[in-house]
Amino acid sequence: MNKTNQQSLSLDALRAGDRAEYARLVENYYQFVYRLALKMLGNPQDAEDILQDTFIKVFRHLDTFDGRSNLSTWIYRIAVNEALMFLRKKQPELVSIDQPVETDEGEQDPVQIVDWCCLPENELMSSEAKAHLDQAMSSLPPGLRAVFILRDIQGLSTRETSEVLNISEMAVKTRLSRARLRLRELLTEYFGERLVERKSPS
Amino acid sequence: MSHEQCRYLLGSLSEYIDGTLEESLCHAIEQHLAGCDNCRVVIDTLRKTVSLYHDEAQRETASEEVHQRLLKRLNLDDFIS
Ligand SMILES: [Zn+2]
């Protein structure tokens, strides 16, 4: 991530309550936290609530940050937990980051075999397509969703993701694989239909 | 996608597209792909799925209003530039 900026933040100044340093911390991380929350929750209003709650928690608990992990890792962990707590309130039966993700189910066979890669960009990135992307994302169990967002949208490494979520690197890889395959399946249903429409204009 | 080998390799495709898969499995996948159109399509669309989500999300940023409301909520209004 933003390693140079991050190193230039002074933990001592933060702990001493230096407001300028608080402001710099916000500048460094608010976009990351916002996008993470937006993708976890699927709507801007909830994302903004999580954004604010995350930084309130960060400042409130700075004295418990022991400096052993990166500051960024710690902030992202707080953000993910805020998002998961929010989801848990909304759909309690679905959400736990610790719960094994379909232990016995394993990988699902791909059913949709359509090569839609050749669709033009304006169809792949249309607002209708975006709505389908969002819908597919929200159908993922939150434990898979968090991994996919951190790795593929926010660009964290497997190791960073495992530190943020407090799960093993192996678990990150397994969840990422399942998340990607499921999303591929759902997008293929949608884009496959677009492809058929293009080939046989009515 | 009914072939045993397709099923067997499926769990490795994610690491394959990341280029982090161990060499022997990589080799097995490439050999398989030479004769299996289905798996090639799955890999291509898997890559495209990842890049679409990535690209689409990069366009979504917190607006200046969201930014300012955040600073206000944190009592950091004086740092609004
Ligand atoms: Zn195959």
Side-chain angles (χ1 to χ4, degrees):
Chain A
M1 289 289 88
N2 232 325
K3 287 267 156 56
T4 40
N5 282 341
Q6 188 193 314
Q7 277 162 0
S8 70
L9 280 171
S10 159
L11 205 52
D12 289 340
L14 287 169
R15 285 186 176 137
D18 181 334
R19 296 180 65 258
E21 205 65 1
Y22 278 17
R24 292 196 353 183
L25 181 144
V26 172
E27 294 316 301
N28 282 356
Y29 297 114
Y30 82 94
Q31 286 292 5
F32 189 106
V33 171
Y34 180 78
R35 190 177 288 146
L36 172 67
L38 184 61
K39 294 288 114 182
M40 281 300 290
L41 306 178
N43 93 70
Q45 188 51 57
D46 294 340
E48 185 168 354
D49 288 346
I50 296 303
L51 173 70
Q52 297 184 353
D53 292 347
T54 296
F55 281 100
I56 287 169
K57 276 230 164 114
V58 164
F59 291 147
R60 192 175 291 156
H61 297 290
L62 261 176
D63 54 336
T64 70
F65 173 64
D66 58 13
R68 270 185 301 180
S69 58
N70 283 327
L71 185 59
S72 57
T73 304
W74 184 70
I75 293 171
Y76 303 161
R77 190 181 301 148
I78 291 173
V80 170
N81 285 338
E82 287 295 311
L84 290 174
M85 257 193 305
F86 182 94
L87 289 170
R88 204 172 286 135
K89 274 185 217 149
K90 267 170 73 172
Q91 358 164 245
E93 70 288 358
L94 281 177
V95 187
S96 163
I97 194 71
D98 305 318
Q99 97 202 351
V101 181
E102 310 91 36
T103 30
D104 44 10
E105 184 188 342
E107 315 291 350
Q108 292 259 332
D109 278 5
V111 231
Q112 309 282 343
I113 310 284
V114 184
D115 191 354
W116 45 269
C117 293
C118 55
L119 278 168
E121 280 298 297
N122 63 3
E123 255 187 79
L124 292 171
M125 303 284 271
S126 71
S127 53
E128 191 192 300
K130 183 192 176 311
H132 277 267
L133 260 67
D134 288 347
Q135 201 185 350
M137 177 84 91
S138 67
S139 77
L140 287 181
L144 296 188
R145 204 185 309 163
V147 170
F148 182 80
I149 292 168
L150 291 172
R151 285 280 290 111
D152 283 342
I153 291 180
Q154 305 287 48
L156 297 196
S157 68
T158 300
R159 174 191 283 260
E160 286 170 312
T161 304
S162 80
E163 287 170 358
V164 170
L165 299 178
N166 229 346
I167 58 177
S168 70
E169 292 188 40
M170 189 43 92
V172 170
K173 288 181 180 178
T174 307
R175 289 183 189 192
L176 182 63
S177 171
R178 291 189 183 155
R180 284 170 167 179
L181 287 168
R182 281 204 198 180
L183 292 173
R184 190 208 74 88
E185 204 66 28
L186 294 167
L187 293 202
T188 301
E189 276 176 30
Y190 171 70
F191 287 124
E193 283 171 26
R194 302 287 83 71
L195 205 63
V196 172
E197 281 173 10
R198 285 180 70 81
K199 280 180 180 160
S200 55
S202 48
Chain B
M1 209 64 180
S2 54
H3 299 100
E4 268 315 296
Q5 217 191 353
C6 304
R7 290 194 59 136
Y8 173 73
L9 294 174
L10 184 63
S12 304
L13 298 187
S14 175
E15 278 196 76
Y16 177 74
I17 66 170
D18 284 339
T20 57
L21 194 62
E22 59 166 297
E23 209 174 317
S24 61
L25 265 174
C26 240
H27 193 69
I29 286 184
E30 271 150 21
Q31 267 190 332
H32 177 79
L33 288 181
C36 183
D37 285 342
N38 281 0
C39 282
R40 260 206 310 271
V41 168
V42 171
I43 284 185
D44 288 346
T45 48
L46 194 61
R47 276 205 186 96
K48 194 75 185 172
T49 296
V50 172
S51 72
L52 268 186
Y53 271 102
H54 181 267
D55 295 349
E56 184 260 315
Q58 304 317 305
R59 304 194 296 188
E60 298 187 272
T61 53
S63 67
E64 189 47 34
E65 288 74 25
V66 168
H67 179 214
Q68 292 189 4
R69 283 196 293 269
L70 172 63
L71 290 172
K72 281 195 187 119
R73 177 86 194 274
L74 298 168
N75 296 318
L76 294 168
D77 325 38
D78 44 326
F79 293 96
I80 294 174
S81 45

